[in-house]
């Protein structure tokens, strides 16, 4: 069967459409892979900003050569530390044991397989202690950190307590009023 020019053109169009679908699938895969790499780099930048104080001058130079700048405001806390801080903020009296904090972190994940091990979790949370956002009080077992009490540095009053504190006069104010009444 002889192919006409129209038949050849139709076949070329079909071939190019198939190639386009293949290339688009590769582009989507590459975009997903790029996003995973970008996310890892962001986490590594947060980690390096915490560990920077342990680096010597030679390592500082290598880090800066990699394009990391430590003067910009992106020097935040990593995602794991952020979750831990949120858990402490929501906890009763703003404190949990270290094991409860770790368990809360694991439970907060959609995919439990993505959870880091207990020791890595503690390393990722160091920035919270280094910046004194959180405080650690040694627990009953000196050889384990699982019973350590982790608390927020400073107490956040719940909204109800703030309102009650404004309405109720302080004890010194009440005593002063009594003294004024007695002296009259």
């Amino acid at each position: 069967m002889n192919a006409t020019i129209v038949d050849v053109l139709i076949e070329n169009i079909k071939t190019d459409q198939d190639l386009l679908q293949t290339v688009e699938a590769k582009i989507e895969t590459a975009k997903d892979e790029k996003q995973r790499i970008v996310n890892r780099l962001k986490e590594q930048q947060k980690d390096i900003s915490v560990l920077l104080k342990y680096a010597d001058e030679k390592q500082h130079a290598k880090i800066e050569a990699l394009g990391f700048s430590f003067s910009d405001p992106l020097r935040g806390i990593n995602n794991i530390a952020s979750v831990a801080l949120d858990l402490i903020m929501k906890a009763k009296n703003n404190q949990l044991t270290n094991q409860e904090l770790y368990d809360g972190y694991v439970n907060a994940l959609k995919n439990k397989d993505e959870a880091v091990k207990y020791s890595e979790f503690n390393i990722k949370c160091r920035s919270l202690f280094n910046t004194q956002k959180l405080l650690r009080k040694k627990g009953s077992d000196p050889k384990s950190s699982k019973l350590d009490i982790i608390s927020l540095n400073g107490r956040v009053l719940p909204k109800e307590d703030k309102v009650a504190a404004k309405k109720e006069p302080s004890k010194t104010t009440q005593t002063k009023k009594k003294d004024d009444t007695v002296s009259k």
Side-chain angles (χ1 to χ4, degrees):
M1 170 168 134
N2 288 338
T4 66
I5 188 111
V6 175
D7 292 329
V8 172
L9 185 58
I10 290 171
E11 282 303 312
N12 287 344
I13 290 171
K14 284 182 184 178
T15 303
D16 284 344
Q17 284 177 337
D18 291 341
L19 283 173
L20 181 61
Q21 286 179 339
T22 304
V23 169
E24 284 177 344
K26 288 179 183 179
I27 289 172
E28 283 303 312
T29 303
K31 282 182 182 179
D32 292 341
E33 187 174 344
K34 177 185 176 187
Q35 189 59 50
R36 283 193 301 273
I37 293 169
V38 166
N39 291 342
R40 279 198 317 260
L41 282 169
K42 286 179 183 177
E43 282 294 314
Q44 290 166 348
Q45 182 171 9
K46 290 176 185 177
D47 291 343
I48 199 72
S49 69
V50 172
L51 298 173
L52 186 64
K53 65 183 175 186
Y54 302 111
D56 60 22
E57 288 180 30
K58 200 175 194 182
Q59 291 167 324
H60 273 268
K62 287 180 181 178
I63 292 167
E64 287 178 14
L66 290 171
F68 289 100
S69 172
F70 300 103
S71 60
D72 61 6
L74 295 176
R75 292 179 58 185
I77 58 177
N78 62 57
N79 290 341
I80 293 172
S82 179
V83 169
L85 185 59
D86 287 343
L87 290 169
I88 290 289
M89 295 290 283
K90 293 174 184 173
K92 183 179 179 182
N93 296 327
N94 302 112
Q95 67 181 25
L96 295 168
T97 65
N98 205 29
Q99 183 65 51
E100 291 170 334
L101 186 59
Y102 176 73
D103 292 342
Y105 150 73
V106 172
N107 291 331
L109 294 174
K110 290 179 184 173
N111 182 0
K112 308 295 185 230
D113 295 333
E114 292 177 359
V116 298
K117 294 187 187 294
Y118 178 79
S119 57
E120 186 177 348
F121 169 79
N122 284 305
I123 291 169
K124 296 275 188 180
C125 289
R126 279 188 187 154
S127 62
L128 297 172
F129 298 101
N130 292 345
T131 58
Q132 296 186 349
K133 287 180 175 88
L134 296 182
L135 301 174
R136 179 185 301 269
K137 181 180 174 189
K138 196 65 188 147
S140 58
D141 184 359
K143 294 184 179 182
S144 173
S145 65
K146 293 184 178 187
L147 297 177
D148 290 0
I149 304 297
I150 310 301
S151 62
L152 188 64
N153 188 4
R155 183 168 177 263
V156 176
L157 287 175
K159 289 181 181 176
E160 304 85 47
D161 289 351
K162 288 179 183 177
V163 172
K166 288 180 181 177
K167 288 182 181 177
E168 294 177 12
S170 66
K171 290 184 180 182
T172 56
T173 307
Q174 290 172 347
T175 307
K176 187 175 181 183
K177 286 180 182 177
K178 285 181 186 176
D179 291 344
D180 289 345
T181 307
V182 172
S183 63
K184 288 182 182 179

